[in-house]
Amino acid sequence: MGLGRRFGWLWAAYAVSALGTYLAFDAFSVIAVIALHAGPAEVALLAAAGPAVGAVAAIPLGPWVEFRRKRPVMIAMDLVRFAALLTVPAAYALGGLRLGQLLLVSVVVAAADITFNAASGAFLKALVPAGRLLAANSRFESTNWTALVLGPPLGGAAIGLFGPVATVAANAVSFLLSALGIRAVGGGEPPPQRTGGRRLRAADLLDGWRHILTSPELRPLFFNNLAANALIMVAAPPLAVLMLGPLGFAPWQYGLAFAVPCLGGLLGSRLARPLVARHGQLRVLRVAGTLRAVWPLGLAFIRPGPSGLLLVMVLEFGVITCSGVYSPVYATRRLECTPDDRVARTLSAWSVTGKATTAALTALWGLLASLTGPRAAIALAGVLLLATPPLLLRATREVTARPSPASAPPSPAGSPPSR
């Protein structure tokens, strides 16, 4: 059974912006190095500070989104990202591009990302019937991984042919096209009903975290995801230093080591629905979430040469495949356990905390790698990651004790993956 014309437009909008995002994958760092001759410290500041400050800036936007129609908010955030990103090629063409501008644009885009995703989760839950949400979310997940496979190689070629800001311009246009696609979704959207006064209160800023931390189902899932995602991400910079430095891998080999395993994400997202239908949502959530924590420790043992490259690809394929299965099922549970009038605040709080935590731990792991060496930093992240599954087991036990109507197949999913 199809998901309807309105979902088709939403899916198309997501696809074009996802491809644009991955075409411009790490573009700001490339521009900082090639065009602005920035050093390692400046590039690290750009990579960590922009998303972190953007996450803080997005805190008041979650409650603001909750009590507004979601489709206009999504269109507005696409247009904000379009306008902000377009300033980069414009300034570059005029000879006025500076690192401070890249940092400011990074902050604006990060805040708009969080706001868009908070609105899109609530909009998707209202748009798609509960029994079809898993199908919808699996399509978003498959699209995300397909864009990740295709985008960076095409983006690298575009930079070589047209210069360092070409992919940023393409990404800006993708958000404009996304806004047009979301506008084409059409249909009515009832105005959200606000409880209490009409003005935004200081207490509203904490409502998302309050719901997460007081929910026996969401709380362990939240902390598991917070820790697991951050520990997977913090190993990436030390791994890059290790592979491109002491182990002597060429840049194209490093890129290949992470591009090919992304096919596992596409495979995993296609497997999520049949696995849930056969084994049930909770078992898939538990097993896939546990297995994704097992693989990264092996990255501490890679060696030079083809065997080392193959080991990285196998380990990354395992992590990404398990994540591809886990993500739509985990997003399902998060939406199922969140009342309709708290979706935007909950997703915003979840995203803000995740981005800030990952940025802080990435900076900490960079310092750790400089003191102990990259291999030791990778190993520590892998060991700590092995301690995260018990939280996930607790989350599924809580759900088993108080099942939701959607826990029998077919089971729903959640919001589109972050773009």
Side-chain angles (χ1 to χ4, degrees), residues 306-320:
S307 61
L309 184 64
L310 179 61
L311 178 61
V312 173
M313 294 172 70
V314 169
L315 293 172
E316 289 294 328
F317 184 85
V319 174
I320 293 173

Side-chain angles (χ1 to χ4, degrees), residues 48-383:
V53 176
V56 174
I59 290 175
L61 295 176
W64 177 80
V65 170
E66 194 76 78
F67 305 113
R68 281 161 176 79
R69 289 184 173 91
K70 305 306 182 289
R71 193 162 64 97
V73 171
M74 294 161 66
I75 293 172
M77 292 303 104
D78 270 341
L79 294 178
V80 166
R81 291 184 285 189
F82 164 70
L85 288 169
L86 206 59
T87 66
V88 174
Y92 180 78
L94 296 172
L97 185 62
R98 298 291 184 269
L99 190 67
Q101 180 182 346
L102 290 181
L103 183 58
L104 178 60
V105 171
S106 178
V107 169
V108 172
V109 170
D113 284 344
I114 293 172
T115 307
F116 180 96
N117 291 326
S120 68
F123 184 71
L124 182 67
K125 189 175 182 182
L127 177 67
V128 178
R132 300 294 295 161
L133 276 170
L134 182 55
N137 200 64
S138 295
R139 291 189 188 183
F140 285 124
E141 188 75 9
S142 297
T143 302
N144 186 64
W145 287 108
T146 301
L148 185 53
V149 171
L150 298 177
L154 293 176
I159 289 174
L161 291 173
F162 304 112
V165 300
T167 57
V168 176
N171 193 20
V173 172
S174 78
F175 286 120
L176 177 61
L177 295 175
S178 173
L180 294 174
I182 293 169
R183 187 178 186 277
V185 170
E189 185 182 350
Q193 299 298 316
R194 182 185 175 95
T195 55
R198 296 183 59 83
R199 308 185 79 176
L200 183 65
R201 303 164 301 167
D204 291 333
L205 301 179
L206 302 177
D207 278 347
W209 284 282
R210 188 176 297 114
H211 172 61
I212 292 169
L213 297 178
T214 56
S215 167
E217 297 165 327
L218 283 183
R219 186 172 58 248
L221 191 64
F222 173 70
F223 285 116
N224 169 267
N225 244 63
L226 204 64
N229 287 348
L231 290 170
I232 289 172
M233 294 302 297
V234 298
L239 183 60
V241 172
L242 180 64
M243 292 183 67
L244 297 173
L247 298 184
F249 289 104
W252 70 267
Q253 292 175 310
Y254 175 77
L256 185 68
F258 294 96
V260 173
C262 287
L263 295 171
L266 181 60
L267 173 64
S269 62
R270 299 297 297 271
L271 289 175
R273 288 179 62 200
L275 285 175
V276 167
R278 181 169 182 175
H279 300 289
Q281 187 186 69
L282 303 184
R283 181 176 294 178
V284 172
L285 181 69
R286 183 167 57 246
V287 173
T290 300
L291 287 178
R292 70 172 178 160
V294 173
W295 303 89
L297 181 59
L299 294 171
F301 302 99
I302 61 172
R303 293 289 182 265
S307 61
L309 184 64
L310 179 61
L311 178 61
V312 173
M313 294 172 70
V314 169
L315 293 172
E316 289 294 328
F317 184 85
V319 174
I320 293 173
T321 301
C322 294
S323 296
V325 174
Y326 174 84
S327 292
V329 184
Y330 135 78
T332 298
R333 182 50 53 189
R334 184 170 60 180
L335 277 188
E336 288 177 344
C337 298
T338 304
D340 291 349
D341 63 350
R342 295 183 188 176
V343 172
R345 282 172 288 179
T346 299
L347 296 184
S348 178
W350 203 294
S351 185
V352 164
T353 311
K355 287 181 181 293
T357 301
T358 299
L361 286 183
T362 298
L364 177 62
W365 245 255
L367 177 62
L368 179 66
S370 67
L371 295 175
T372 65
R375 200 180 291 274
I378 295 168
L380 179 60
V383 169

Side-chain angles (χ1 to χ4, degrees), residues 25-36:
F25 186 75
D26 219 16
F28 278 18
S29 296
V30 173
I31 293 171
V33 172
I34 294 177
L36 304 180

